[in-house]
Amino acid sequence: MSTTRFVNKLVGQRVLLVGGTGGVGISVAQALVESGAVVILSSSREQKVKDVCTALANDYPQAKDRISGYACDLASANVEANIRDLFGKVGEIDHIVYMAGDRLPMIPLEEVTLEKWQKCNQVRTISSILVAKIGSRYLKKDRHSSIVFTGGSISEKPIAGGWSMLALIGAGVNGLARQLAFDLAPIRVNAVAPGVIETDLWQGMGEEGKKAFFQGHESRIPTGKVGQPEDLAEAYLYCLKDTNATGIVVHSNSGTFLM
């Protein structure tokens, strides 16, 4: 008789991925489906949610009944009402993974304005705390439930030029995770802090600019390769599975801190 103490930890657990239709979100969703979880995706565009759910169901036909999704616009002035509506549709869940964020706000300090700050801050931080506020009501009050935020290694390892807003956001998200680990206990709250991950969030650099940035970064980091979405997905799954982990920041950054 075989014993499976580890590989089935997420079987049947309901996981909501907020902002889960990007490259990393899709990889996390794939990992969750393969782990036997029930996956609910959410992002701002309804068609995108439908397309990703369809693609996942095609890749995992045996799991299509465990895959669903709903649109939720986090950039709207009605964001709190939108989040309430989302959780009203989703119902009780075991985990929330928050990875929503628009294109990376690479803005030189002299070009920072209140409008630009408010725009990038709403989705990455304001909406995250509102999701925690509302979503925690739908989580079981024990250590098997969790919320995972997405910060960034830039909060601890600066990058030259144009990253001041993202550094501030990342530091705030890391701090929020630690504080909510107290405020929402025994529900666990953690953060994943990615380094440079190859996703479409870098498209603002242009193809040549992105290629040059990646090559320069890879010439310095110990792994010699920027992270891939499937690499980072493991960090999120760890936060969900380790019921002894709360108030921590899990880094996945190709050894960036050793540079």
Side-chain angles (χ1 to χ4, degrees):
M1 177 179 176
S2 62
T3 301
T4 53
R5 295 192 179 109
F6 297 95
V7 297
N8 290 336
K9 282 188 173 182
L10 296 177
V11 170
Q13 296 201 15
R14 292 170 51 80
V15 185
L16 171 64
L17 304 182
V18 181
T21 59
V24 174
I26 292 171
S27 286
V28 174
Q30 291 169 335
L32 287 169
V33 170
E34 292 179 15
S35 299
V38 177
V39 179
I40 305 110
L41 297 171
S42 176
S43 72
S44 59
R45 291 185 292 143
E46 185 174 357
Q47 189 58 51
K48 179 69 170 178
V49 173
K50 289 180 178 178
D51 289 345
V52 173
C53 287
T54 299
L56 284 170
N58 289 338
D59 289 342
Y60 302 96
Q62 76 284 2
K64 63 180 181 180
D65 293 337
R66 294 191 279 113
I67 301 165
S68 62
Y70 304 97
C72 180
D73 185 359
L74 300 177
S76 165
N78 299 317
V79 58
E80 190 162 2
N82 292 347
I83 294 169
R84 284 197 300 268
D85 182 60
L86 171 65
F87 280 98
K89 295 173 181 174
V90 171
E92 290 189 358
I93 47 175
D94 297 287
H95 305 280
I96 300 168
V97 178
Y98 191 95
M99 53 184 66
D102 40 21
R103 190 169 289 175
L104 296 174
M106 296 168 52
I107 300 171
L109 181 60
E110 59 271 17
E111 296 179 15
V112 172
T113 64
L114 177 61
E115 182 181 7
K116 290 176 181 177
W117 169 247
Q118 288 175 330
K119 181 179 179 181
C120 73
N121 198 47
Q122 174 158 333
V123 172
R124 292 180 180 271
T125 61
I126 296 172
S127 294
S128 68
I129 197 170
L130 291 175
V131 164
K133 167 190 167 182
I134 296 167
S136 60
R137 303 166 188 166
Y138 293 82
L139 292 166
K140 300 180 182 70
K141 303 302 186 284
D142 64 42
R143 71 189 189 119
H144 296 282
S145 300
S146 75
I147 300 174
V148 186
F149 294 113
T150 302
S153 63
I154 193 168
S155 64
E156 299 179 45
K157 179 74 172 182
I159 302 174
W163 297 91
S164 55
M165 289 206 303
L166 193 61
L168 180 55
I169 288 169
V173 169
N174 293 353
L176 177 64
R178 288 190 286 266
Q179 182 60 46
L180 290 184
F182 275 104
D183 293 347
L184 297 179
I187 294 170
R188 297 179 298 107
V189 185
N190 297 296
V192 169
V196 177
I197 306 295
E198 190 169 359
T199 70
D200 56 4
L201 287 179
W202 301 88
Q203 293 305 318
M205 287 183 166
E207 198 57 39
E208 290 303 315
K210 183 181 75 169
K211 183 179 178 180
F213 178 75
F214 281 5
Q215 287 177 342
H217 189 66
E218 289 176 337
S219 71
R220 300 188 302 274
I221 54 178
T223 64
K225 178 68 176 175
V226 299
Q228 302 300 300
E230 57 268 27
D231 301 325
L232 185 58
E234 299 287 355
Y236 289 98
L237 260 65
Y238 164 73
C239 290
L240 303 186
K241 293 167 73 173
D242 185 352
T243 55
N244 197 44
T246 193
I248 65 172
V249 179
V250 177
H251 293 276
S252 177
N253 58 31
S254 306
T256 293
F257 292 165
L258 303 176
M259 291 162 51

Coordinates of all heavy atoms in Angstrom, one line a residue, residues 4-64:
T4 N 0.9 8.7 0.2 CA 1.3 9.9 -0.5 C 1.0 11.1 0.5 O -0.1 11.6 0.5 CB 0.4 10.1 -1.8 OG1 -1.0 9.9 -1.4 CG2 0.8 9.1 -2.8
R5 N 2.0 11.4 1.3 CA 1.8 12.5 2.2 C 2.1 13.9 1.6 O 1.6 14.9 2.2 CB 2.8 12.3 3.4 CG 2.6 11.1 4.2 CD 3.4 11.1 5.5 NE 3.2 9.9 6.3 CZ 4.0 9.0 6.5 NH1 5.2 9.0 5.9 NH2 3.7 7.9 7.3
F6 N 2.8 13.9 0.5 CA 3.2 15.2 0.0 C 2.5 15.6 -1.3 O 2.2 16.8 -1.5 CB 4.7 15.2 -0.2 CG 5.4 15.0 1.1 CD1 5.8 13.8 1.6 CD2 5.7 16.1 2.0 CE1 6.5 13.6 2.8 CE2 6.3 16.0 3.2 CZ 6.7 14.7 3.6
V7 N 2.4 14.7 -2.3 CA 2.0 15.1 -3.6 C 0.5 15.4 -3.7 O 0.1 16.0 -4.7 CB 2.3 14.0 -4.6 CG1 3.8 13.7 -4.7 CG2 1.6 12.6 -4.3
N8 N -0.2 15.0 -2.7 CA -1.7 15.3 -2.8 C -2.2 16.4 -1.8 O -3.4 16.5 -1.6 CB -2.5 14.0 -2.4 CG -2.3 12.9 -3.5 OD1 -2.1 13.2 -4.6 ND2 -2.5 11.7 -3.1
K9 N -1.2 17.2 -1.4 CA -1.6 18.2 -0.4 C -2.7 19.2 -0.9 O -3.4 19.8 -0.1 CB -0.4 19.0 0.0 CG 0.5 18.3 1.0 CD 1.6 19.2 1.5 CE 2.4 18.5 2.7 NZ 3.4 19.4 3.2
L10 N -2.7 19.5 -2.2 CA -3.6 20.5 -2.8 C -4.8 19.8 -3.5 O -5.7 20.6 -4.0 CB -2.9 21.4 -3.7 CG -1.8 22.2 -3.1 CD1 -1.1 23.0 -4.2 CD2 -2.3 23.2 -2.1
V11 N -5.0 18.5 -3.4 CA -6.1 17.9 -4.1 C -7.4 18.4 -3.5 O -7.6 18.4 -2.3 CB -6.0 16.3 -3.9 CG1 -7.3 15.7 -4.4 CG2 -4.8 15.8 -4.7
G12 N -8.3 18.8 -4.4 CA -9.6 19.3 -4.0 C -9.7 20.7 -3.4 O -10.8 21.2 -3.2
Q13 N -8.5 21.3 -3.2 CA -8.5 22.7 -2.6 C -8.8 23.7 -3.7 O -8.4 23.6 -4.8 CB -7.2 23.0 -2.0 CG -6.9 22.1 -0.8 CD -5.9 22.6 0.2 OE1 -5.5 23.8 0.1 NE2 -5.4 21.8 1.1
R14 N -9.6 24.7 -3.3 CA -10.1 25.7 -4.2 C -9.2 26.9 -4.1 O -9.0 27.5 -3.1 CB -11.5 26.1 -3.9 CG -12.5 25.0 -4.2 CD -13.9 25.4 -3.6 NE -14.4 26.7 -4.0 CZ -15.0 27.0 -5.2 NH1 -15.1 26.0 -6.1 NH2 -15.4 28.2 -5.4
V15 N -8.6 27.3 -5.3 CA -7.6 28.3 -5.3 C -8.0 29.4 -6.3 O -8.2 29.1 -7.5 CB -6.2 27.8 -5.7 CG1 -5.1 28.9 -5.6 CG2 -5.8 26.6 -4.8
L16 N -8.1 30.6 -5.8 CA -8.4 31.8 -6.7 C -7.1 32.5 -7.1 O -6.4 32.9 -6.2 CB -9.4 32.7 -6.0 CG -9.6 34.1 -6.7 CD1 -10.3 33.8 -8.0 CD2 -10.4 35.0 -5.8
L17 N -6.9 32.6 -8.4 CA -5.7 33.3 -8.9 C -6.2 34.7 -9.4 O -6.9 34.8 -10.5 CB -5.1 32.6 -10.1 CG -4.6 31.1 -9.8 CD1 -3.9 30.5 -11.0 CD2 -3.7 31.1 -8.6
V18 N -5.9 35.7 -8.7 CA -6.3 37.1 -9.1 C -5.2 37.7 -10.0 O -4.1 37.8 -9.6 CB -6.6 38.0 -7.9 CG1 -7.0 39.4 -8.3 CG2 -7.6 37.4 -6.9
G19 N -5.6 38.0 -11.2 CA -4.6 38.4 -12.2 C -3.9 37.2 -12.7 O -2.7 37.2 -13.0
G20 N -4.6 36.1 -12.9 CA -4.0 34.8 -13.2 C -4.0 34.4 -14.7 O -3.8 33.3 -15.0
T21 N -4.1 35.4 -15.6 CA -4.2 35.0 -17.0 C -2.9 35.4 -17.7 O -2.8 35.3 -18.9 CB -5.4 35.7 -17.7 OG1 -5.3 37.1 -17.6 CG2 -6.7 35.1 -17.1
G22 N -1.9 35.9 -17.0 CA -0.6 36.2 -17.6 C 0.3 35.0 -17.6 O -0.1 33.9 -17.2
G23 N 1.5 35.2 -18.1 CA 2.4 34.0 -18.2 C 2.7 33.3 -16.9 O 2.6 32.1 -16.9
V24 N 3.0 34.0 -15.8 CA 3.2 33.4 -14.5 C 1.9 32.8 -14.0 O 1.9 31.6 -13.5 CB 3.8 34.4 -13.5 CG1 3.9 33.7 -12.1 CG2 5.2 34.8 -14.0
G25 N 0.8 33.5 -14.1 CA -0.5 33.0 -13.7 C -0.9 31.7 -14.4 O -1.4 30.8 -13.7
I26 N -0.6 31.6 -15.7 CA -1.0 30.4 -16.4 C -0.1 29.2 -15.9 O -0.6 28.1 -15.7 CB -0.8 30.6 -17.9 CG1 -1.9 31.6 -18.4 CG2 -0.9 29.3 -18.6 CD1 -1.6 32.0 -19.8
S27 N 1.2 29.5 -15.6 CA 2.0 28.4 -15.1 C 1.6 28.0 -13.7 O 1.6 26.8 -13.4 CB 3.5 28.9 -15.1 OG 4.1 29.0 -16.4
V28 N 1.2 28.9 -12.9 CA 0.7 28.5 -11.6 C -0.6 27.7 -11.7 O -0.8 26.7 -11.0 CB 0.4 29.8 -10.7 CG1 -0.2 29.4 -9.4 CG2 1.8 30.5 -10.4
A29 N -1.5 28.2 -12.6 CA -2.7 27.4 -12.8 C -2.4 26.0 -13.3 O -3.0 25.0 -12.9 CB -3.6 28.2 -13.9
Q30 N -1.5 25.8 -14.2 CA -1.1 24.5 -14.7 C -0.6 23.6 -13.6 O -1.0 22.5 -13.5 CB 0.0 24.6 -15.8 CG -0.6 25.3 -17.1 CD 0.6 25.6 -18.1 OE1 1.7 25.8 -17.7 NE2 0.2 25.7 -19.3
A31 N 0.3 24.2 -12.7 CA 0.8 23.5 -11.6 C -0.3 23.0 -10.6 O -0.3 21.9 -10.1 CB 1.9 24.3 -10.9
L32 N -1.2 23.9 -10.4 CA -2.3 23.6 -9.5 C -3.2 22.5 -10.1 O -3.7 21.6 -9.4 CB -3.2 24.9 -9.2 CG -2.5 25.9 -8.3 CD1 -3.3 27.2 -8.4 CD2 -2.4 25.4 -6.9
V33 N -3.5 22.6 -11.4 CA -4.3 21.6 -12.0 C -3.6 20.2 -11.9 O -4.3 19.2 -11.5 CB -4.6 21.9 -13.5 CG1 -5.2 20.7 -14.2 CG2 -5.5 23.1 -13.6
E34 N -2.3 20.2 -12.1 CA -1.6 19.0 -12.0 C -1.5 18.4 -10.6 O -1.3 17.3 -10.4 CB -0.2 19.2 -12.6 CG -0.2 19.4 -14.1 CD 1.2 19.6 -14.7 OE1 2.2 19.3 -13.9 OE2 1.4 20.1 -15.8
S35 N -1.7 19.4 -9.6 CA -1.7 19.0 -8.2 C -3.1 18.6 -7.7 O -3.2 18.3 -6.5 CB -1.2 20.1 -7.4 OG 0.2 20.5 -7.7
G36 N -4.1 18.6 -8.6 CA -5.4 18.2 -8.2 C -6.3 19.3 -7.6 O -7.4 19.0 -7.1
A37 N -5.8 20.5 -7.7 CA -6.6 21.6 -7.1 C -7.8 22.1 -8.0 O -7.7 21.8 -9.2 CB -5.7 22.8 -6.8
V38 N -8.7 22.8 -7.5 CA -9.8 23.4 -8.2 C -9.3 24.9 -8.5 O -9.0 25.6 -7.5 CB -11.1 23.4 -7.5 CG1 -12.2 24.2 -8.3 CG2 -11.5 22.0 -7.2
V39 N -9.2 25.3 -9.7 CA -8.6 26.6 -10.1 C -9.6 27.5 -10.6 O -10.4 27.2 -11.5 CB -7.5 26.4 -11.2 CG1 -6.9 27.7 -11.6 CG2 -6.4 25.4 -10.7
I40 N -9.7 28.7 -10.0 CA -10.6 29.8 -10.4 C -9.7 31.0 -10.9 O -8.9 31.5 -10.0 CB -11.5 30.2 -9.4 CG1 -12.3 29.0 -8.8 CG2 -12.5 31.3 -9.9 CD1 -12.0 28.6 -7.4
L41 N -9.8 31.4 -12.1 CA -9.0 32.5 -12.6 C -9.8 33.8 -12.7 O -11.0 33.7 -12.9 CB -8.5 32.1 -14.1 CG -7.6 30.9 -14.3 CD1 -7.4 30.7 -15.8 CD2 -6.3 31.2 -13.6
S42 N -9.0 34.9 -12.5 CA -9.7 36.2 -12.6 C -8.7 37.2 -13.2 O -7.5 37.2 -12.8 CB -10.2 36.6 -11.2 OG -10.7 38.0 -11.4
S43 N -9.2 38.0 -14.1 CA -8.5 39.1 -14.6 C -9.5 40.1 -15.2 O -10.7 39.9 -15.1 CB -7.4 38.7 -15.7 OG -8.0 38.4 -16.9
S44 N -9.0 41.2 -15.7 CA -9.9 42.3 -16.0 C -10.7 42.1 -17.3 O -11.8 42.6 -17.4 CB -9.1 43.6 -16.2 OG -8.1 43.5 -17.2
R45 N -10.2 41.3 -18.2 CA -10.9 41.1 -19.5 C -11.6 39.7 -19.5 O -11.0 38.7 -19.4 CB -9.9 41.2 -20.6 CG -9.4 42.7 -20.8 CD -8.6 42.8 -22.1 NE -7.3 42.1 -21.9 CZ -6.7 41.4 -22.9 NH1 -7.3 41.4 -24.1 NH2 -5.5 40.8 -22.7
E46 N -12.9 39.8 -19.7 CA -13.7 38.6 -19.7 C -13.3 37.6 -20.8 O -13.2 36.4 -20.6 CB -15.2 38.9 -19.9 CG -16.1 37.7 -19.8 CD -17.6 38.1 -19.8 OE1 -17.9 39.3 -19.8 OE2 -18.4 37.1 -19.7
Q47 N -13.0 38.1 -22.0 CA -12.6 37.2 -23.1 C -11.2 36.5 -22.8 O -11.1 35.4 -23.1 CB -12.5 38.0 -24.4 CG -12.3 37.1 -25.6 CD -13.4 36.1 -25.8 OE1 -14.6 36.5 -25.8 NE2 -13.0 34.8 -25.9
K48 N -10.3 37.3 -22.2 CA -9.0 36.7 -21.8 C -9.2 35.6 -20.8 O -8.6 34.5 -20.9 CB -8.1 37.8 -21.2 CG -6.7 37.3 -20.8 CD -5.9 36.9 -22.0 CE -4.4 36.6 -21.5 NZ -3.6 36.2 -22.7
V49 N -10.1 35.8 -19.9 CA -10.4 34.7 -18.9 C -10.9 33.5 -19.6 O -10.5 32.4 -19.3 CB -11.4 35.2 -17.8 CG1 -11.8 34.1 -16.9 CG2 -10.7 36.4 -17.0
K50 N -11.9 33.7 -20.5 CA -12.5 32.6 -21.2 C -11.4 31.8 -22.0 O -11.4 30.6 -22.0 CB -13.6 33.1 -22.1 CG -14.8 33.5 -21.3 CD -15.9 34.0 -22.3 CE -17.2 34.4 -21.6 NZ -18.2 34.9 -22.6
D51 N -10.6 32.6 -22.7 CA -9.6 32.0 -23.6 C -8.6 31.1 -22.8 O -8.2 30.0 -23.2 CB -8.8 33.0 -24.3 CG -9.6 33.7 -25.4 OD1 -10.7 33.2 -25.7 OD2 -9.2 34.8 -25.9
V52 N -8.1 31.6 -21.6 CA -7.2 30.9 -20.8 C -7.8 29.7 -20.2 O -7.2 28.6 -20.2 CB -6.6 31.8 -19.7 CG1 -5.7 31.0 -18.7 CG2 -5.7 32.9 -20.3
C53 N -9.1 29.8 -19.7 CA -9.8 28.6 -19.2 C -9.9 27.6 -20.3 O -9.8 26.4 -20.0 CB -11.1 29.1 -18.6 SG -11.1 30.0 -17.1
T54 N -10.3 28.0 -21.5 CA -10.4 27.0 -22.6 C -9.1 26.3 -22.9 O -9.1 25.1 -23.1 CB -11.0 27.7 -23.8 OG1 -12.2 28.3 -23.6 CG2 -11.1 26.8 -25.0
A55 N -8.0 27.1 -22.9 CA -6.7 26.5 -23.2 C -6.3 25.5 -22.1 O -5.8 24.4 -22.4 CB -5.7 27.6 -23.3
L56 N -6.6 25.9 -20.9 CA -6.2 24.9 -19.8 C -7.1 23.7 -19.9 O -6.6 22.6 -19.7 CB -6.5 25.6 -18.4 CG -5.5 26.6 -18.0 CD1 -6.0 27.4 -16.7 CD2 -4.1 26.0 -17.6
A57 N -8.4 23.8 -20.2 CA -9.3 22.7 -20.3 C -8.8 21.8 -21.5 O -8.9 20.5 -21.4 CB -10.7 23.1 -20.5
N58 N -8.3 22.4 -22.5 CA -7.8 21.6 -23.7 C -6.5 20.8 -23.3 O -6.3 19.7 -23.8 CB -7.6 22.5 -24.9 CG -8.8 23.0 -25.5 OD1 -9.9 22.4 -25.3 ND2 -8.8 24.1 -26.2
D59 N -5.7 21.5 -22.5 CA -4.4 20.9 -22.1 C -4.7 19.8 -21.1 O -3.9 18.8 -21.0 CB -3.5 21.9 -21.5 CG -2.9 22.8 -22.6 OD1 -3.0 22.5 -23.8 OD2 -2.4 23.9 -22.2
Y60 N -5.7 19.9 -20.2 CA -6.0 19.0 -19.2 C -7.5 18.6 -19.2 O -8.3 19.0 -18.4 CB -5.7 19.6 -17.8 CG -4.3 20.1 -17.6 CD1 -3.9 21.4 -17.8 CD2 -3.3 19.2 -17.2 CE1 -2.6 21.8 -17.7 CE2 -2.0 19.6 -17.0 CZ -1.7 20.9 -17.3 OH -0.4 21.4 -17.1
P61 N -7.9 17.9 -20.3 CA -9.3 17.5 -20.5 C -9.9 16.8 -19.3 O -11.1 16.9 -19.0 CB -9.3 16.7 -21.7 CG -7.9 16.2 -21.9 CD -7.0 17.3 -21.3
Q62 N -9.1 16.0 -18.6 CA -9.6 15.2 -17.5 C -9.9 16.2 -16.3 O -10.6 15.7 -15.3 CB -8.6 14.2 -17.0 CG -7.4 14.7 -16.3 CD -6.3 15.4 -17.1 OE1 -6.5 15.5 -18.3 NE2 -5.2 15.8 -16.5
A63 N -9.5 17.4 -16.3 CA -9.6 18.3 -15.2 C -10.5 19.5 -15.6 O -10.6 20.5 -14.8 CB -8.3 18.8 -14.7
K64 N -11.2 19.5 -16.7 CA -12.0 20.6 -17.1 C -13.0 21.1 -16.2 O -13.4 22.3 -16.1 CB -12.6 20.4 -18.5 CG -13.6 19.3 -18.6 CD -14.1 19.1 -20.0 CE -15.2 18.0 -20.1 NZ -15.7 17.9 -21.4

